[in-house]
Amino acid sequence: MTLGKFHAALTAGVFLAVSATAQDAGDTTAPETGAEAASAEGAAAPTISAFSITPAPDPLSSAAAVYATYQSDVSDIEQHKFENVEGIQEALTDLGSQNAEQLSRGWIAYSALVASQSPEFRAAVRDVEGYYGRDFLVRGLQTDSRYARKINGGTTAVGAALNAGAADAQRLQSTAEYVKEQAYSLQAFGWAKGKLGDSGALATRLRADSMIGRTARPNMTTALDAPDIGSVLSTAGRSGAPSVWNSVSGSADRLQVVNVSNITSSNSPLSVSVGSEQVADKIATLAVYRVLGSEDATGVAPVQSAMTEGQTSGCMNMAQLNLQQCIAATHQHFEVPFCLGEHALAEIGSCIAKVSN
């Protein structure tokens, strides 16, 4: 036998031996009974459990909650003096981590919520929908940016939203003055004159945080989804009405509904300033979507698109950059409130105020 044939025979013998051993080992396993097979089959079957579908949050309310969170942070600063370094740093983190695009979208969404409370405008939107159909109305919104403002009551509705914005801008200016005053009074305290540390690194952190943005407070989201939020929004910016942000306490069952009898309606709606027409158009468009049922009427994409606007977001982005540069140039703790008042409050307020006159 040649070496090649011997090697082939040896290999075949080993293969047969291994196969026989494996077969013998397999034979030691008892065959499954019918019951065992059924049990194994049942164990392999997937378990199907009941589930519920949570409805998607309203995009307008969700966006507005970011702006409401900013205003809630302003309320915290407005109601409490700085008493230590931690308080100053907390305020800086809250206001300095706002994302300009998200804050701008939040303000426009909030303005649309206010505009959608106009009875005349709501009735006109429903009339157009009833006569021409919802598809016709939505198509008009998507093909003509000024379509919503042409609907009866559109100018008045937008004017009410601008009044609310002007009231917010005034509130921010007043709070800014209060905060900047503390930059002077705090110099009497030793802790406030302490070294800030690496201000450049602090400014860099603020920049990084602002790229992500500040998450909306859950209580603000809850408040804006409350069934009776409309009664609060309908008084925004009106003479004799308290600030909306004093009325929104943060939970659906604790909204402070305003006594309408104490409010005068003598203040006429503000007009849109030159160059800000596109902002007013978007507010009106979003208000129509709100009346129709927001995303239920058109899908989320058109609503999200209408909230995107360059003028206000660009202005707020510049305010954030100025805040970061101001912080980078500070050396002592008492200087931080000045940066907050000047850029995180007053400058943001001016971005809102310039839309109307």
Side-chain angles (χ1 to χ4, degrees), residues 116-282:
S116 69
Q117 303 306 311
S118 168
E120 179 187 6
F121 183 65
R122 293 177 67 89
V125 170
R126 290 303 186 189
D127 285 345
V128 174
E129 179 193 19
Y131 188 82
Y132 294 102
R134 176 168 293 199
D135 290 343
F136 177 90
L137 177 54
V138 170
R139 189 161 54 250
L141 295 174
Q142 296 177 356
T143 57
D144 181 359
S145 61
R146 196 144 298 175
Y147 181 82
R149 288 173 65 192
K150 297 175 184 176
I151 297 175
N152 288 340
T155 300
T156 301
V158 170
L162 297 181
N163 282 358
D168 284 355
Q170 180 58 49
R171 177 176 187 257
L172 292 174
Q173 184 63 45
S174 298
T175 306
E177 294 301 323
Y178 169 71
V179 171
K180 287 193 290 184
E181 177 59 34
Q182 293 185 65
Y184 297 100
S185 62
L186 285 174
Q187 296 180 46
F189 300 92
W191 64 265
K193 291 188 289 187
K195 297 297 182 181
L196 184 61
D198 190 345
S199 58
L202 180 56
T204 300
R205 179 179 65 79
L206 289 176
R207 176 63 176 167
D209 290 346
S210 69
M211 297 298 291
I212 300 173
R214 178 137 160 69
T215 303
R217 292 184 179 184
N219 56 357
M220 290 294 101
T221 302
T222 300
L224 288 175
D225 277 334
D228 53 352
I229 186 63
S231 62
V232 176
L233 295 175
S234 63
T235 65
R238 293 175 59 181
S239 297
S243 170
V244 165
W245 312 115
N246 293 333
S247 300
V248 177
S249 62
S251 62
D253 58 346
R254 293 177 57 201
L255 285 175
Q256 299 175 14
V257 180
V258 180
N259 185 353
V260 181
S261 63
N262 295 331
I263 301 173
T264 63
S265 57
S266 58
N267 57 326
S268 57
L270 293 173
S271 59
V272 182
S273 62
V274 177
S276 297
E277 290 82 3
Q278 75 281 2
V279 182
D281 293 339
K282 287 180 176 291

